[in-house]
Amino acid sequence: MSESPVEHFEGCQCWVCDDGCPCLLSGTAYTEDRLLKPQFLHGGLPIFECHDACRCRHSSCVSRVVQSTEHFPALYSRSVEDEVGLGLFTSIPIPRGSYVCEYRGELLPHDIAVERSVTANRHHYVMIFREFYQPDPQDRGHITCIDAAPGGRPIPFGALINHRCGSPYLTPIPVRTGCSVPQICFFANRLIAAGEQLSYDYNDGNSATVELSQKVCRCKSEQCRGYLPAGR
């Protein structure tokens, strides 16, 4: 498990950033159309973007996607049936590989995140996200914990995305922009039609084996596990 001190990255001196840019430790993640490449969308690679300390121009650098917009346009929330609460929808199609939104909120130590998720009322908005890049099964990974609505603050779009077992429409991926603390960002892993509810598997980034909670899952997917992932 890693909750290391924040490391700030040096900026590049590129005029045009490509796979040789020192900021892009995993290579160029985006196409010229600013869509996420398949090897990042499905290959589990972390994303690095250029940042304010870099010489490259914000408007023309293809590696600056998440920082360029708060979320995909035309997102909206509405109530979902079966006591799910609110859900997030799109009024226009979202192309595969598009950046949709970020899970924004207060960064927490892991023990505080677990405590809040256990003691919260019926709904809580604590994400515990683990990154695994080593084959060691004992490695608990780098953990990022975010409370999207501390103290009853307004709920951001990222926290309104509901769970779907097995075949969700979004993939959460860590994106690092100028420092070692990642932003957890959602990308479309297929073409999403207008009017569809956005979803992701709450187990994404946690482990290959799903540990289930005691909360009944209402996703109605054909791959539904019956209960939500424990997420610790």
Side-chain angles (χ1 to χ4, degrees):
M1 181 180 72
S2 175
E3 290 179 1
S4 306
V6 178
E7 176 188 356
H8 293 277
F9 303 151
E10 293 184 8
C12 71
Q13 297 300 309
C14 308
W15 290 111
V16 178
C17 295
D18 53 24
D19 284 341
C21 174
C23 292
L24 312 181
L25 300 183
S26 301
T28 307
Y30 307 106
T31 68
E32 292 296 328
D33 295 325
R34 296 184 175 240
L35 300 177
L36 193 62
K37 294 179 178 179
Q39 61 266 38
F40 289 85
L41 191 56
H42 301 294
L45 293 173
I47 300 171
F48 295 86
E49 293 195 356
C50 289
H51 47 94
D52 291 344
C54 297
R55 184 168 67 174
C56 55
R57 296 180 61 184
H58 192 287
S59 59
S60 59
C61 180
V62 73
S63 80
R64 298 173 183 255
V65 170
V66 166
Q67 61 197 272
S68 297
T69 182
E70 185 172 344
H71 57 77
F72 192 85
L75 301 181
Y76 66 96
S77 62
R78 68 171 174 83
S79 296
V80 182
E81 60 184 6
D82 292 337
E83 300 183 356
V84 173
L86 292 174
L88 190 65
F89 296 78
T90 177
S91 61
I92 61 175
I94 302 179
R96 180 175 179 265
S98 298
Y99 165 60
V100 176
C101 65
E102 176 189 350
Y103 200 95
R104 297 175 179 269
E106 178 189 359
L107 285 169
L108 302 174
H110 181 240
D111 58 340
I112 300 299
V114 171
E115 180 181 348
R116 286 193 189 180
S117 65
V118 170
T119 59
N121 293 326
R122 181 166 173 264
H123 291 292
H124 72 81
Y125 299 95
V126 177
M127 171 188 274
I128 300 176
F129 188 91
R130 288 184 173 89
E131 301 172 63
F132 292 89
Y133 302 117
Q134 302 295 330
D136 182 1
Q138 301 302 316
D139 180 16
R140 294 187 63 197
H142 182 286
I143 298 179
T144 302
C145 303
I146 303 169
D147 187 345
R153 295 179 191 173
I155 303 168
F157 275 153
L160 294 175
I161 304 172
N162 287 313
H163 167 78
R164 182 179 172 87
C165 297
S167 57
Y169 304 152
L170 303 177
T171 300
I173 300 177
V175 179
R176 289 174 170 83
T177 303
C179 74
S180 57
V181 177
Q183 300 164 253
I184 307 303
C185 300
F186 296 100
F187 292 84
N189 57 39
R190 46 153 276 190
L191 173 64
I192 303 174
E196 285 196 287
Q197 182 182 180
L198 308 184
S199 60
Y200 75 102
D201 190 329
Y202 286 5
N203 191 61
D204 261 334
N206 285 348
S207 67
T209 302
V210 183
E211 179 185 351
L212 299 178
S213 70
Q214 296 180 347
K215 294 182 179 179
V216 174
C217 179
R218 304 181 188 277
C219 76
K220 298 183 179 180
S221 165
E222 292 182 359
Q223 295 88 20
C224 184
R225 306 178 186 111
Y227 294 88
L228 293 175
R232 295 190 196 176

